[in-house]
Amino acid sequence: MGGFLDYSPGDSFLHRLNPLAKIFLSLMLCVSCFVTDSSVFCLMIILLNIAMAAVAGISSRALAMLRTLIKFCAFLFLIQIFFIKEGSILLSLPFNIYVTDKGFMFSLMMVLRLIGATLPLALMLSITKMNDLSNVLVGRMGIPYKYAFSLTTAIRFIPVFTAEMAGIIEAQTARGVAFDTKNIFKKIGLIFPLCVPLLITSVRKIEGAAISAELRGFNCRKRESGYKSYPFRTADIGVSIFALTLAAAGAFVPF
Amino acid sequence: MIRFDNVSYSTNGIKIINDVSFELKKGDFTALIGANGAGKSTLARLCNGLLKPCRGAVNVGGFDTALVRTSRIAKFTGFLFQNPDRQICKNRVRDEIRFSLECVMEDRAEIEMRCERTLKEFSLDGERDPFSMSRGERQRLVLASILATEPELLLLDEPTTGLDYRECMHIMECISSINRKGATVLMISHDMEIVQDFAREVMVLNDGELLAHGSTKVIIRNEPLLASASLLPPQITELALRLGEGYENVVTVDDMVSAVKKKRGGAE
């Protein structure tokens, strides 16, 4: 099983959509999370994401990512909740630390928005081939190939670097660096020296990719170079209208 | 030193190691051979606790790897990975060796003494930036920083891949030297010439199963066994096998020269 950002092959309804429609859908889902003030609506968007992942056949991946996001967001939630002092006190703790209703709601909305905005982008990337994404950005949106390629390459390299970092941590653990400690602060401190090998490996990989691209005539490519066409079908129009409606509903939802 | 008891390891529902049992004694020099994807690197990672067995038990230096942290096992184990860049994390050769020693000991004077000794032994310039060195030099630096800690067990994942003959021999001589001092060596290799010249025992792994474990001289002459693991015997052994009678004990070029001379002498 690959990482959530790796392309997952499939022939589902979502896989078959035009890459532009997928980009638009994911952006509108993000927007709807930010324009709404309703935590219930944010929760519904998260559930919609999970349902879409199930349709695309990557529900286990989506749930794994959701678990990771929840862990990270729980940490953010705990930090944030103690910094907002406005509103009526819900919970009083020693050393003048207290939780207010406004603080609770703000922190809750913050983490729900974060989860709701991250999942659709990750979902879109895992059901869209990088080549299709790059071609549609150049061919349909008129973005210069250089920039479209940079964007897709940056995204493609995220799982590569994640695997590289895991390899580096493994190699350092094998030489006695205590990454297997239970102390999270000690672990964070131990990560910093690893930036050196990660940086060096990354620069080497990028340099290799750049040379390889140059050798294959990277600079000769024009807007017309792509041979694949990406027609915008009825399903794509329907999905785009649904996405737009969802974003509008986010702004006006009463609950 | 290492004991595997009915060890199995799976990941994502795929069985990588299947019911493997073997024992390596102190001072053994064993080569682990097999086709790509046979499970060699996974088995090596099970040896120092980087991976924990799904079934069975791995005992290294008296420790059950499932119960002890890898960083604890690393105090007496050295692991050389295929990619040296993952192990290097300092900007000076001297700091890299020192860092390795700091991971396993605390005595500052001892660390400095071992660091200087290692630099001299491996003819390394302590002030050099490791990332400006060639791949062979970086591999040598990583091995130097491992050997500086004087490990009792050395796990090597294809230590000579991508190296020229001179670098390859230099690295193998260093490994051989620590083995002569009593360290146990388990080396993954595809290079049958290296296996023949340096390993005293060979383990053949195929599809996660241990097909054979025995003397190098016996195993490298077993063509069907090697073929089942997508391997060929070293050229000198293949030649001896084809020549047949009178060449049964040929393992090295010197053996072949002696056998040929003996045959010719007999004919004359």
Side-chain angles (χ1 to χ4, degrees):
Chain A
M1 191 181 78
F4 197 72
L5 294 180
D6 294 340
Y7 174 69
S8 168
D11 192 35
S12 67
F13 169 73
L14 287 170
H15 277 90
R16 289 195 303 271
L17 284 177
N18 185 301
L20 264 185
K22 291 185 215 174
I23 295 172
F24 189 71
L25 173 65
S26 62
L27 281 177
M28 285 303 109
L29 286 174
C30 295
V31 168
S32 66
C33 281
F34 283 98
V35 294
T36 187
D37 287 325
S38 163
S39 54
V40 179
F41 187 80
C42 270
L43 210 58
M44 281 166 63
I45 294 289
I46 294 169
L47 290 175
L48 178 66
N49 277 307
I50 301 295
M52 287 197 305
V55 169
I58 51 168
S59 50
S60 54
R61 270 203 207 185
L63 289 172
M65 179 150 195
L66 184 64
R67 270 197 296 274
T68 312
L69 278 172
I70 288 173
K71 280 182 205 165
F72 176 67
C73 287
F75 181 67
L76 283 183
F77 181 82
L78 283 176
I79 291 177
Q80 191 66 43
I81 203 166
F82 296 116
F83 277 93
I84 295 169
K85 303 289 182 192
E86 291 166 31
S88 46
I89 295 172
L90 288 177
L91 178 70
S92 265
L93 296 165
F95 308 109
N96 197 28
I97 296 170
Y98 51 89
V99 176
T100 65
D101 56 348
K102 276 194 178 174
F104 178 79
M105 280 315 292
F106 181 85
S107 308
L108 185 69
M109 278 307 291
M110 186 188 72
V111 297
L112 286 176
R113 278 178 176 147
L114 188 67
I115 296 171
T118 311
L119 280 177
L121 290 173
L123 175 67
M124 184 269 289
L125 291 173
S126 56
I127 57 168
T128 312
K129 283 182 188 163
M130 281 300 147
N131 272 348
D132 292 342
L133 194 62
S134 173
N135 287 342
V136 85
L137 287 175
V138 176
R140 305 282 297 212
M141 295 182 76
I143 295 172
Y145 182 67
K146 214 181 266 184
Y147 301 116
F149 180 80
S150 306
L151 175 74
T152 52
T153 307
I155 294 166
R156 189 172 64 84
F157 267 74
I158 294 170
V160 175
F161 291 147
T162 309
E164 191 62 34
M165 191 61 176
I168 291 168
I169 289 179
E170 187 184 56
Q172 298 300 328
T173 309
R175 76 197 294 203
V177 181
F179 279 111
D180 42 9
T181 177
K182 299 266 188 280
N183 186 334
I184 185 82
F185 296 105
K186 195 178 170 189
K187 209 174 204 169
I188 291 167
L190 289 169
I191 295 247
F192 285 110
L194 302 190
C195 294
V196 176
L198 184 66
L199 200 69
I200 298 284
T201 321
S202 313
V203 170
R204 279 202 178 131
K205 273 200 166 75
I206 291 162
E207 196 186 12
I211 291 169
S212 157
E214 285 281 351
L215 290 172
R216 288 187 287 168
F218 178 80
N219 285 317
C220 303
R221 205 179 159 102
K222 294 179 188 140
R223 190 175 174 176
E224 299 78 27
S225 297
Y227 71 92
K228 275 177 94 175
S229 60
Y230 298 91
F232 215 74
R233 298 191 178 92
T234 319
D236 300 312
I237 297 168
V239 165
S240 302
I241 292 169
F242 169 72
L244 207 59
T245 314
L246 215 57
F252 302 110
V253 71
F255 49 87
Chain B
M1 191 72 212
I2 305 179
R3 205 178 69 238
F4 272 51
D5 292 315
N6 307 103
V7 173
S8 295
Y9 179 80
S10 314
T11 181
N12 296 328
I14 303 162
K15 212 161 215 180
I16 314 280
I17 297 291
N18 189 14
D19 200 25
V20 167
S21 298
F22 66 88
E23 187 171 3
L24 298 187
K25 294 197 168 60
K26 191 171 159 50
D28 279 355
F29 193 133
T30 308
L32 180 58
I33 59 173
N36 288 332
K40 304 184 296 295
S41 296
T42 304
L43 192 136
R45 280 167 170 77
L46 283 162
C47 285
N48 71 341
L50 278 173
L51 298 176
K52 312 288 180 194
C54 299
R55 234 190 56 213
V58 179
N59 194 293
V60 179
F63 295 101
D64 184 337
T65 59
L67 307 174
V68 182
R69 285 184 189 175
T70 307
S71 50
R72 172 70 190 85
I73 296 169
K75 303 266 181 206
F76 60 88
T77 309
F79 197 127
L80 183 71
F81 287 81
Q82 277 179 49
N83 182 357
D85 294 346
R86 286 183 171 177
Q87 282 173 283
I88 297 169
C89 63
K90 296 288 172 185
N91 292 322
R92 282 196 317 166
V93 166
R94 177 176 274 103
D95 294 341
E96 186 58 37
I97 297 172
R98 199 180 280 142
F99 179 70
S100 235
L101 290 161
E102 284 165 354
C103 288
V104 296
M105 59 174 65
E106 284 169 3
D107 185 344
R108 300 298 314 173
E110 177 72 11
I111 288 172
E112 290 306 320
M113 190 272 284
R114 284 204 200 183
C115 182
E116 293 309 316
R117 192 183 65 196
T118 308
L119 284 171
K120 202 179 278 180
E121 274 177 10
F122 282 81
S123 317
L124 291 164
D125 176 1
E127 300 308 309
R128 239 182 124 182
D129 179 353
F131 294 104
S132 70
M133 295 160 93
S134 71
R135 191 188 183 280
E137 286 174 320
R138 292 202 302 277
Q139 187 83 323
R140 193 146 50 94
L141 166 62
V142 172
L143 183 65
S145 59
I146 291 170
L147 296 190
T149 64
E150 296 175 4
E152 292 170 44
L153 170 64
L154 197 53
L155 303 162
L156 309 159
D157 195 350
E158 298 185 33
T160 56
T161 305
L163 302 186
D164 63 32
Y165 179 75
R166 194 173 58 90
E167 286 283 5
C168 178
M169 282 302 124
H170 193 157
I171 284 201
M172 286 316 299
E173 283 304 330
C174 296
I175 294 165
S176 215
S177 157
I178 192 168
N179 174 246
R180 282 195 294 272
K181 287 177 190 163
T184 311
V185 177
L186 177 64
M187 175 182 73
I188 295 171
S189 184
H190 285 123
D191 188 335
M192 294 303 285
E193 313 285 340
I194 292 281
V195 170
Q196 178 180 256
D197 289 347
F198 292 94
R200 288 188 293 277
E201 285 194 338
V202 173
M203 292 198 291
V204 185
L205 203 66
N206 190 37
D207 279 338
E209 287 183 19
L210 191 60
L211 295 184
H213 181 192
S215 155
T216 307
K217 283 185 180 179
V218 176
I219 288 185
I220 60 167
R221 290 181 70 87
N222 190 338
E223 278 188 296
L225 173 69
L226 294 182
S228 66
S230 310
L231 294 165
L232 279 175
Q235 284 189 336
I236 201 77
T237 309
E238 209 175 339
L239 184 63
L241 284 166
R242 286 197 200 175
L243 289 170
E245 201 184 324
Y247 296 91
E248 292 84 0
N249 295 320
V250 171
V251 176
T252 62
V253 174
D254 289 342
D255 293 342
M256 178 58 85
V257 171
S258 307
V260 170
K261 276 183 177 171
K262 201 173 158 188
K263 276 263 178 187
R264 284 175 63 189
E268 282 160 13

